[in-house]
């Protein structure tokens, strides 16, 4: 009798007592009830708490979401927190008088401007330590959607217009974060290239443009860094939601790219949950009870095979056993914010792009008297808005930064702009806006500017821009306001009359128009949104303590409409009616001709090309070498010499022009890049580059495969797109084909 009873109990899997370990996932899966499986693939709600429960009650207050615990099986709740510029959690908690600040690091576009993969890993190693020590298991980052158009509201979070630079940056970012034993969520997969109508917009993209541009950067980061998770985007892609696209989430991501991790949705309302599960979207965030109920109902009714649910449950379990919470890590809630601030400042200095520097205007003489103009000098913009915003202890603005560096700021101007910002903040508060307020620059009379010139040595004018999640920039945001334009014009006229110099600093998160005014100032420094240490980092560069070495990760066009993509972008979209162009659907009519691929191939002039950036020194390139292997891969090298009189670093970009091979192709494409160490004046370094035949391939839609054409190629070692410093021709004796 006893044997029968024991056998009966053993065979009843639903009630088997088993606790999850890294080695018994199959057993746990077999022991789970249908309700428990449904619970594990659906989050508990916004902020990791069920509807009606305040987010402050989350096991990590301020987290974006969590997975759900199943105590019976030893499955803990795990925590998912934003965001790409630093951990985003509440900085204060009920019942506690301590703070939980996180470090505000430079934004994604800033990091990409460094072209320095080890630097990005250093930054994200520090960032990931805050994820670990504050008790989160995953950082919902990096954002790596392509900069298809300058007006996308979230471009500040993303890296580049080029898929290779974007993918390499994302992979370095993931490696740094995950070196702490916490996870990432590479996002937003895929083609979330506008914020207007982001939940429903159908991105209509050719297979070639998808493969070569909008999937390529994700392919690189997935294959080169194995992110724990991937976040599927809100939008549709050629019809289906990405979150319910079996083609995207299973065929491409898993079957073609070999991805083994977990896919979670972006924070979406309820859709057809079974479609999402069947597509391979393993975890639905933030999660609603009706999603769990739908899954149970559909399995019970036979509409959905339980095996489809089991595939997702298994991947969630495989994720959970990797997490610090599952491993019982005792997080300190006390990361070294001082050390991380130093990392943020050092990185910020490496991300600022010197666009102009006539007659060595920069570096500014130490101790100089500076007339600092611009509301953003006071109201300095550390980063963009939305889920990517970090609750920082402080932001060092340019007033503080320049004074820390020993500059003597014009007191009357300081007071004027402080008053303007206080007024602007008070005015914004009247209509309920309390944070991320960008105070527009007030008109300043030329007569007043005249008053300042005699008591200052040099003038600095700061231009600020911000944008963020949930909305794209308006067209007018791309251009200077009348007050900004007049300020630059008047300051230049007045100070140049007295033989004094003018510097413009751009504290912006996305590309603006520069061609119409860049001739006026003597120097232009693109500071981007460099994080909480921004003001000190700007001063480090303006003073010459840091020699700028960053380069543009996107093109600055002469005008907004010069981008081909601007013909299909919702900058003035008509929100009335149905089936609205650029709102309900967006035709990626430009195909692969995004950014420099368009401007270079169609011979369109630009204001500043992709990859452009100056230094306080100069460099020469010599001895270009390209060696082709029998498998079609190439190794290249070039010698870079510092020919100036101060130490500095140089980013060398390797562009390759390829034979047509039956396809129209861009004039040339970035296929590798490298950055020198700091070279002393006269010092040289040999940089080496490796490019495999697959990286050289173009996607042939007719053949539905990648092709590297036979023929003559040219390798161009360049300081920027179109600025070729050394080159070498090589012949591919045969063509190569690669399946998707
Ligand atoms: C947001 C964003 C995503 C973020 C998530 C959680 O809507 O699109 O980037 O990680 O929700 O906050």
């Amino acid at each position: 009798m006893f044997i029968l009873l024991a056998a009966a109990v053993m065979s009843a899997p639903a009630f088997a007592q088993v606790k999850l370990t890294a080695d018994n996932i199959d057993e746990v899966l077999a022991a789970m009830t249908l309700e428990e499986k449904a619970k594990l693939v659906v989050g508990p709600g916004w902020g990791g708490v069920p509807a009606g429960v305040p987010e402050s009650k989350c096991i990590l207050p301020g987290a974006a979401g969590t997975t759900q615990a199943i105590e019976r099986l030893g499955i803990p709740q795990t925590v998912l927190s934003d965001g790409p510029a630093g951990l985003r959690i509440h900085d204060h908690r009920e019942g506690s008088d301590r703070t939980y600040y996180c470090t505000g690091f430079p934004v994604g576009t800033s990091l990409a401007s460094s072209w320095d993969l080890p630097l990005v890993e250093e930054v994200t190693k520090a960032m990931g330590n805050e994820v670990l020590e504050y008790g989160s298991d995953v950082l919902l980052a990096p954002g790596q959607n392509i900069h298809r158009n300058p007006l996308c509201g979230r471009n500040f979070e993303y890296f580049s217009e080029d898929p290779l630079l974007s993918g390499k940056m994302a992979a370095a970012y993931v490696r740094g974060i995950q070196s702490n034993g916490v996870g990432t969520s590479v996002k937003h997969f895929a083609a979330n290239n506008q914020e207007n109508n982001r939940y429903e917009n159908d991105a209509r993209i050719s297979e070639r443009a998808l493969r070569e541009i909008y999937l390529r950067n994700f392919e690189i980061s997935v294959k080169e860094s194995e992110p724990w998770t991937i976040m599927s985007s809100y939008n549709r892609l050629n019809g289906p939601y990405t979150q319910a696209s079996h083609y995207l989430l299973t065929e491409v991501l898993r079957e073609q790219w070999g991805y083994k991790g977990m896919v979670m949705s972006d924070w979406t309302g309820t859709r057809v949950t079974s479609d999402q599960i069947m597509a391979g979207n393993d975890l639905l965030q933030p999660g609603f009870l009706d999603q769990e109920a739908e899954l149970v109902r559909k399995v019970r009714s036979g509409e959905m095979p339980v095996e489809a649910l089991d595939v997702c449950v298994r991947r969630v379990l495989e994720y959970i056993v990797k997490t610090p919470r599952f491993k019982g890590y005792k997080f300190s809630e006390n990361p070294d914010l001082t050390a991380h601030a130093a990392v943020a400042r050092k990185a910020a200095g490496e991300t600022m792009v010197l666009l102009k520097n006539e007659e060595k205007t920069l570096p500014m003489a130490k101790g100089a008297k500076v007339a600092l103009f611009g509301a953003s000098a006071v109201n300095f913009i550390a980063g963009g808005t939305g889920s990517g915003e970090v609750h920082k202890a402080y932001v060092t603005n340019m007033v503080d930064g320049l004074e820390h560096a020993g500059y003597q700021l014009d007191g009357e101007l300081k007071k004027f702009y402080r008053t303007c910002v206080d007024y602007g903040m008070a005015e914004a508060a009247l209509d309920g806006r309390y944070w991320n307020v960008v105070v527009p620059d007030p008109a300043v009379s030329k007569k007043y500017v005249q008053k300042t010139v005699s008591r200052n040595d040099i003038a600095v004018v700061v231009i600020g821009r911000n944008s963020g999640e949930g909305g794209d920039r308006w067209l007018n945001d791309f251009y200077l306001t009348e007050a900004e334009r007049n300020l630059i014009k008047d300051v230049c006229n007045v100070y140049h009359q007295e033989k004094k110099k003018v510097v413009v600093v751009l504290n912006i998160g996305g590309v603006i128009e520069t061609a119409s005014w860049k001739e006026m100032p003597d120097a232009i420094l693109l500071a981007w949104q460099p994080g909480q240490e921004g003001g000190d980092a700007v001063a480090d560069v303006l003073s010459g303590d840091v020699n700028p070495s960053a380069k543009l990760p996107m093109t600055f066009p002469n005008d907004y409409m010069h981008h081909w993509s601007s013909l299909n972008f919702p900058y003035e979209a008509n929100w009335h009616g149905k089936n609205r162009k650029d709102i309900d659907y967006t035709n990626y009519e430009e195909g692969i001709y995004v950014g420099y691929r368009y401007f270079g191939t169609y011979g369109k002039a630009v204001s500043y090309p992709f990859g452009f950036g100056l230094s306080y020194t100069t460099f020469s390139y010599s001895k270009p070498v390209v060696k082709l292997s029998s498998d079609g891969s190439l190794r290249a090298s070039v010698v870079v010499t510092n020919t100036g009189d101060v130490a500095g670093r140089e980013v060398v970009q390797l562009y390759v022009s390829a034979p047509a091979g039956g396809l129209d192709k861009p004039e040339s494409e970035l296929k590798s890049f490298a950055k020198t160490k700091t070279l002393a004046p006269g010092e040289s370094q040999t940089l080496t580059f490796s490019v495999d035949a697959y990286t050289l391939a173009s996607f042939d839609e007719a053949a539905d495969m990648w092709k590297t054409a036979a023929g003559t190629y040219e390798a161009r070692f360049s300081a920027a797109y179109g600025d070729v410093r050394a080159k070498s021709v090589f012949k591919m004796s045969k063509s190569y084909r690669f399946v998707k």
Side-chain angles (χ1 to χ4, degrees):
M1 182 58 178
F2 172 76
I3 292 168
L4 281 176
L5 184 63
V9 168
M10 287 301 285
S11 67
F15 304 103
Q17 283 311 316
V18 61
K19 296 293 182 189
L20 180 65
T21 71
D23 309 313
N24 70 351
I25 285 174
D26 289 341
E27 196 181 343
V28 168
L29 187 53
M32 292 176 79
T33 65
L34 176 57
E35 287 74 10
E36 287 170 334
K37 291 178 181 177
K39 185 175 180 182
L40 198 62
V41 300
V42 176
W46 289 94
V49 291
V53 175
E55 290 187 4
S56 57
K57 300 299 181 197
C58 176
I59 57 172
L60 177 54
T66 70
T67 57
Q68 298 196 69
I70 301 176
E71 283 83 3
R72 180 178 79 84
L73 297 167
I75 299 172
Q77 196 174 6
T78 70
V79 182
L80 315 168
S81 306
D82 284 311
L87 180 67
R88 175 184 171 80
I89 57 172
H90 291 168
D91 47 13
H92 291 86
R93 293 177 189 171
E94 284 171 23
S96 164
D97 57 4
R98 65 152 290 182
T99 55
Y100 299 85
Y101 293 122
C102 297
T103 305
F105 292 95
V107 297
T109 292
S110 292
L111 295 178
S113 301
S114 73
W115 293 68
D116 186 341
L117 300 177
L119 178 80
V120 172
E121 283 200 46
E122 182 186 354
V123 166
T124 49
K125 189 170 186 308
M127 193 188 294
N129 174 263
E130 295 184 23
V131 175
L132 177 69
E133 293 305 336
Y134 273 127
S136 187
D137 298 291
V138 172
L139 186 71
L140 300 170
Q144 66 166 107
N145 292 102
I146 291 290
H147 288 189
R148 171 179 177 252
N149 186 274
L151 292 184
C152 172
R154 289 185 86 168
N155 274 355
F156 73 93
E157 275 185 319
Y158 306 151
F159 297 117
S160 174
E161 69 187 31
D162 177 81
L164 181 96
L165 179 58
S166 170
K168 294 289 185 182
M169 280 290 154
Y173 186 109
V174 168
R175 288 192 296 266
I177 297 288
Q178 296 188 169
S179 68
N180 291 278
V182 295
T184 54
S185 195
V186 171
K187 66 188 185 181
H188 307 88
F189 191 60
N192 181 182
N193 302 103
Q194 69 183 60
E195 288 299 291
N196 270 299
N197 200 25
R198 62 179 179 158
Y199 295 100
E200 293 300 331
N201 179 264
D202 182 14
R204 295 175 182 173
I205 310 175
S206 71
E207 182 72 6
R208 182 177 183 193
L210 256 184
R211 292 287 174 167
E212 292 190 22
I213 307 291
Y214 299 99
L215 295 182
R216 189 50 179 264
N217 60 333
F218 285 97
E219 180 182 5
I220 292 169
S221 53
V222 163
K223 289 181 175 176
E224 296 189 7
S225 63
E226 297 177 21
W228 283 17
T229 84
I230 294 205
M231 185 187 293
S232 55
S233 60
Y234 287 127
N235 56 284
R236 296 167 181 274
L237 175 57
N238 294 330
Y241 289 115
T242 60
Q243 297 171 357
S245 170
H246 186 270
Y247 171 70
L248 188 68
L249 304 183
T250 297
E251 290 174 51
V252 172
L253 185 59
R254 276 129 175 178
E255 293 169 1
Q256 294 172 13
W257 296 353
Y259 180 61
K260 300 285 183 242
M262 177 182 83
V263 173
M264 72 174 84
S265 71
D266 198 343
W267 269 232
T268 315
T270 301
R271 291 175 169 170
V272 180
T273 311
S274 56
D275 287 354
Q276 294 167 314
I277 291 291
M278 299 277 281
N281 198 119
D282 307 305
L283 175 66
L284 286 315
Q285 285 290 333
F288 301 92
L289 281 175
D290 58 4
Q291 290 175 301
E292 292 178 43
E294 180 201 325
L295 293 176
V296 170
R297 185 176 68 253
K298 288 197 174 169
V299 169
R300 290 248 158 79
S301 68
E303 283 179 75
M304 184 175 82
V306 71
E307 291 74 16
L309 179 57
D310 287 350
V311 168
C312 296
V313 171
R314 174 187 303 284
R315 288 194 286 245
V316 176
L317 291 170
E318 288 166 349
Y319 146 74
I320 287 172
V321 298
K322 293 194 285 190
T323 63
R325 287 218 181 225
F326 174 76
K327 293 175 180 176
Y329 179 75
K330 298 287 174 262
F331 48 88
S332 67
E333 294 194 315
N334 191 25
D336 188 344
L337 299 183
T338 303
H340 296 168
V343 172
R345 176 171 175 173
K346 172 196 161 190
E350 300 284 319
T351 67
M352 298 184 185
V353 185
L354 184 60
L355 296 176
K356 182 179 183 182
N357 191 26
E358 299 290 307
E359 298 169 357
K360 297 200 173 189
T361 298
L362 294 175
M364 294 196 309
K366 300 264 183 172
K369 295 189 182 82
V370 178
L372 183 58
F373 295 88
S376 293
V378 173
N379 185 32
F380 194 77
I381 303 158
T385 66
S387 59
E389 196 190 340
V390 179
H391 297 142
K392 312 173 273 291
Y394 58 86
V395 173
T396 302
N397 65 20
M398 277 183 60
V399 169
D400 296 337
L402 289 169
E403 288 186 334
H404 292 161
Y407 290 103
Q408 303 171 64
L409 299 190
D410 185 295
E412 195 175 71
L413 273 174
K414 227 171 82 171
K415 188 161 172 258
F416 170 70
Y417 280 106
R418 178 73 266 169
T419 306
C420 291
V421 170
D422 291 345
Y423 173 80
M425 292 298 188
E427 190 182 42
L430 289 179
D431 56 17
R433 290 178 298 117
Y434 298 98
W435 56 87
N436 295 318
V437 175
V438 176
V439 175
D441 268 305
V444 175
S445 70
K446 185 170 183 178
K447 184 161 152 285
Y448 178 72
V449 173
Q450 191 70 49
K451 265 185 68 182
T452 67
V453 66
S454 59
R455 61 188 194 232
N456 291 290
D457 302 319
I458 189 168
V460 175
V461 179
V462 188
I463 301 292
R465 286 288 183 282
N466 206 353
S467 68
E469 177 176 347
D472 294 311
R473 294 165 61 198
W474 298 109
L475 182 58
N476 62 4
D477 191 69
F478 186 79
Y479 300 97
L480 293 187
T481 63
E482 188 183 0
E484 290 168 336
R485 185 176 299 279
N486 289 337
L487 182 63
I488 292 173
K489 178 168 61 67
D490 293 344
V491 170
C492 289
N493 289 343
V494 168
Y495 278 69
H496 287 165
Q497 273 172 350
E498 304 299 324
K499 304 284 182 269
K500 294 181 177 180
K501 302 289 190 181
V502 179
V503 180
V504 169
V505 174
L506 301 178
N507 175 207
I508 57 178
V511 177
I512 65 169
E513 189 274 333
T514 50
S516 66
W517 57 268
K518 68 182 184 181
E519 294 312 318
M520 292 193 272
D522 304 284
I524 303 173
L525 177 69
L526 172 54
W528 289 126
Q529 295 175 342
Q532 68 180 48
E533 306 298 324
D536 279 330
V538 170
D540 291 339
V541 174
L542 293 181
S543 67
D545 286 351
V546 169
N547 181 357
S549 62
K551 297 202 173 181
L552 294 178
M554 81 296 279
T555 306
F556 272 60
N558 278 330
D559 191 36
Y560 171 72
M561 286 311 292
H562 290 187
H563 269 284
W564 190 346
S565 63
S566 296
L567 297 177
N568 294 278
F569 195 81
Y571 64 87
E572 284 178 344
N574 168 10
W575 281 80
H576 304 291
K578 291 198 176 313
N579 203 28
R580 302 157 298 182
K581 176 181 178 291
D582 306 339
I583 296 293
D584 295 312
Y585 66 89
T586 300
N587 284 325
Y588 285 42
E589 178 193 328
E590 73 282 356
I592 61 172
Y593 295 101
V594 176
Y596 73 84
R597 285 174 169 79
Y598 169 60
F599 296 112
T601 307
Y602 288 81
K604 302 283 183 187
V606 299
S607 186
Y608 295 107
F610 174 82
F612 178 84
L614 301 175
S615 168
Y616 292 149
T617 187
T618 52
F619 299 94
S620 68
Y621 296 21
S622 59
K623 300 175 187 156
V625 173
V626 174
K627 289 197 179 81
L628 202 55
S629 306
S630 57
D631 63 358
S633 63
L634 63 92
R635 283 189 62 76
S637 66
V638 71
V639 176
V640 180
T641 304
N642 181 344
T643 50
D645 49 15
V646 291
R649 303 182 65 194
E650 172 69 337
V651 173
V652 175
Q653 302 143 53
L654 179 62
Y655 296 91
V656 174
S657 69
L663 291 172
D664 64 294
K665 291 184 182 175
E667 182 273 340
S668 64
E669 295 178 287
L670 181 72
K671 295 301 179 186
S672 186
F673 60 90
K675 188 166 190 175
T676 68
K677 63 181 181 178
T678 299
L679 297 176
E683 186 179 4
S684 298
Q685 180 182 358
T686 300
L687 292 179
T688 59
F689 308 80
S690 299
V691 182
D692 61 25
Y694 181 61
T695 301
L696 291 172
S698 298
F699 188 77
D700 182 333
E701 283 186 1
D704 197 30
M705 63 170 61
W706 294 90
K707 279 185 182 174
T708 302
T712 303
Y713 291 71
E714 186 173 79
R716 301 170 182 167
F717 303 89
S718 305
Y721 179 81
D723 182 358
V724 181
R725 303 296 180 86
K727 58 187 176 183
S728 179
V729 170
F730 62 95
K731 285 188 185 308
M732 200 70 83
S733 57
K734 64 174 189 166
S735 65
Y736 295 83
R737 295 166 187 277
F738 303 91
V739 294
K740 290 192 298 191

